[in-house]
Amino acid sequence: TGAEALVRWIHPEWGFMSPAEFIPLFEKNGFISHLDEYVWECVCRQLKEWKDKGYPLVPVSVNVSRADIYHEHLVDIFRNLVEKYDIDPFYLHLEITESAYTENPDQIIETANQLRHLGFVIEMDDFGSGYSSLNILSQMSLDVLKLDYKFIQNELARPAEKSLIEDVINMAHRLCLTVVAEGVETREQEQRLRMAGCDIGQGFLFARPIPVDEFEKMLLNSRCPVLSTVPAKDTKRKLILLDEDENYRKCVLDYFADSYDVLVMKNSKQAVEAIESLDDPLSVVLFSMTLPDNETAEFLSLLKKRRMNWKSTLIATVSCMKILDEKDVGEEFDGLFCK
């Protein structure tokens, strides 16, 4: 579903240097902002290269340090970068560490709002590592909450009934945030996080830090989500949403309205009529697994017939309170997400 751009220094004399050796120094001497801007440009250049080659695109997260937040031209820097390399801002996810929010919340809120308005995805990084006010979460225009590695490790070491992970995830979902757990290293941790409703895992279980050429091979050999496809300038991809939850429908519509022509349906009858009348293909179908009666089977039956020609991606959504076995989901789905 994505990647994070990391910095590694291969020195000609000293060899491999861990970020723990040079990042604190750069933060002290002010060089960190120059390093960050270098990384942002490298990522934009790489996304442009993949786009020109016709490779499937996935979002890449980059770090925005505390020092960057105080740069008066930060919004212009990011705007100019995506214009220079002709890439959709959606593919550049901006990670702002939790601790930065406590220092100057008003400025960060204003800056994040401006960036999000331009189409960038805003992530709060390292959540659980500091003491940020929960009130900031409700004020911020955030898209993603990334749970800190140490927080994950500590909480997963506790019995499930005493862990705070599920509470934090439920809170984030009520705010319509996607939750990413950092530092996932074992299948047991992955299963605990799945059962708690976590959306995405990041860690050594899935991949260790790798050079770009190795990541390209993974990119080409994996099934990438259709959300990675950039539309033509004068067209919008079509996304159909079938869900019985009014609040959830509003969240999806607000999030995807700029990038997709979203067709919102609250029952299968509406959805079936919409699909039968469509001439253009659907890019994405977000479809609830918790519809009443036989609406699920009715909708899927029609969708399978049309989808063979459309090659659209079908993403099933399920309540965080309901755990499904793989046999219940089936291979026809491209993804299963907790809402």
Side-chain angles (χ1 to χ4, degrees):
T1 60
E4 179 178 351
L6 305 174
V7 169
R8 297 293 183 267
W9 188 355
I10 313 299
H11 194 277
E13 295 181 24
W14 306 328
F16 178 87
M17 295 179 64
S18 166
E21 295 183 66
F22 59 86
I23 292 296
L25 173 63
F26 290 171
E27 289 178 333
K28 288 181 180 179
N29 65 19
F31 188 74
I32 189 67
S33 293
H34 297 287
L35 178 63
D36 287 341
E37 290 184 37
Y38 168 78
V39 172
W40 302 339
E41 178 132 14
C42 283
V43 170
C44 290
R45 187 186 304 116
Q46 189 64 63
L47 287 167
K48 169 68 171 174
E49 182 180 323
W50 289 335
K51 177 184 172 184
D52 290 345
K53 289 180 177 179
Y55 289 178
L57 295 180
V58 294
V60 179
S61 299
V62 297
N63 287 289
V64 180
S65 71
R66 287 190 293 266
D68 300 324
I69 295 297
Y70 301 105
H71 197 305
E72 60 178 336
H73 301 301
L74 181 65
V75 174
D76 291 332
I77 290 172
F78 280 115
R79 181 195 289 113
N80 293 337
L81 278 173
V82 295
E83 290 178 354
K84 175 182 178 180
Y85 291 99
D86 189 26
I87 58 175
D88 191 325
F90 169 79
Y91 295 110
L92 198 63
H93 288 201
L94 309 181
E95 293 191 2
I96 304 174
T97 185
E98 179 197 35
S99 59
Y101 292 88
T102 63
E103 296 180 0
N104 194 338
D106 291 339
Q107 182 166 349
I108 290 183
I109 289 172
E110 181 182 354
T111 302
N113 286 344
Q114 291 180 47
L115 289 166
R116 194 167 183 263
H117 181 72
L118 292 174
F120 294 97
V121 174
I122 307 299
E123 305 180 346
M124 178 182 281
D125 195 20
D126 298 331
F127 184 80
S129 63
Y131 304 94
S132 66
S133 168
L134 294 181
N135 187 46
I136 293 179
L137 282 181
S138 63
Q139 295 179 34
M140 286 291 301
S141 291
L142 291 172
D143 301 288
V144 179
L145 194 68
K146 297 192 74 172
L147 304 182
D148 180 64
Y149 166 81
K150 290 184 179 178
F151 174 76
I152 291 293
Q153 298 295 322
N154 292 337
E155 291 301 316
L156 290 182
R158 302 172 186 266
E161 63 274 11
K162 294 185 178 181
S163 174
L164 295 175
I165 285 182
E166 187 168 348
D167 298 311
V168 171
I169 292 173
N170 288 339
M171 174 192 67
H173 285 162
R174 284 196 295 272
L175 296 171
C176 297
L177 302 178
T178 298
V179 180
V180 179
E182 297 181 302
V184 184
E185 298 179 349
T186 68
R187 289 293 175 193
E188 291 76 18
Q189 291 174 343
E190 178 196 19
Q191 188 60 30
R192 279 276 302 273
L193 289 163
R194 283 183 183 274
M195 294 185 67
C198 189
D199 302 298
I200 299 172
Q202 174 181 335
F204 289 172
L205 177 63
F206 309 107
R208 291 177 177 269
I210 55 176
V212 172
D213 56 347
E214 290 185 33
F215 180 75
E216 284 185 358
K217 294 176 184 177
M218 292 176 61
L219 198 63
L220 294 173
N221 293 330
S222 65
R223 294 181 64 194
C224 295
V226 76
L227 299 183
S228 65
T229 305
V230 179
K233 295 278 185 187
D234 57 347
T235 63
K236 270 193 176 183
R237 298 158 287 180
K238 291 188 181 298
L239 181 153
I240 195 166
L241 168 66
L242 173 57
D243 200 281
E244 70 279 16
D245 186 329
E246 182 179 359
N247 290 330
Y248 181 72
R249 293 197 301 266
K250 289 181 179 178
C251 284
V252 173
L253 181 60
D254 289 344
Y255 188 83
F256 289 109
D258 290 339
S259 302
Y260 288 85
D261 180 7
V262 183
L263 308 176
V264 181
M265 310 294 161
K266 60 183 178 181
N267 59 57
S268 63
K269 182 180 179 181
Q270 288 183 347
V272 167
E273 291 174 353
I275 289 177
E276 288 180 332
S277 65
L278 281 177
D279 294 323
D280 297 328
L282 278 169
S283 293
V284 188
V285 179
L286 279 172
F287 166 65
S288 173
M289 292 286 289
T290 53
L291 291 168
D293 303 323
N294 293 321
E295 291 192 31
T296 300
E298 178 186 5
F299 179 71
L300 277 179
S301 176
L302 174 65
L303 185 63
K304 286 178 182 177
K305 295 176 184 177
R306 299 297 300 272
R307 189 175 172 230
M308 292 297 292
N309 297 324
W310 285 346
K311 297 182 180 179
S312 53
T313 288
L314 178 59
I315 301 176
T317 61
V318 63
S319 168
C320 291
M321 303 303 293
K322 183 176 176 61
I323 303 300
L324 295 181
D325 293 330
E326 289 185 8
K327 63 180 180 358
D328 296 324
V329 179
E331 295 182 356
E332 66 267 26
F333 297 112
D334 297 297
L336 177 66
F337 288 86
C338 178
K339 65 181 179 181

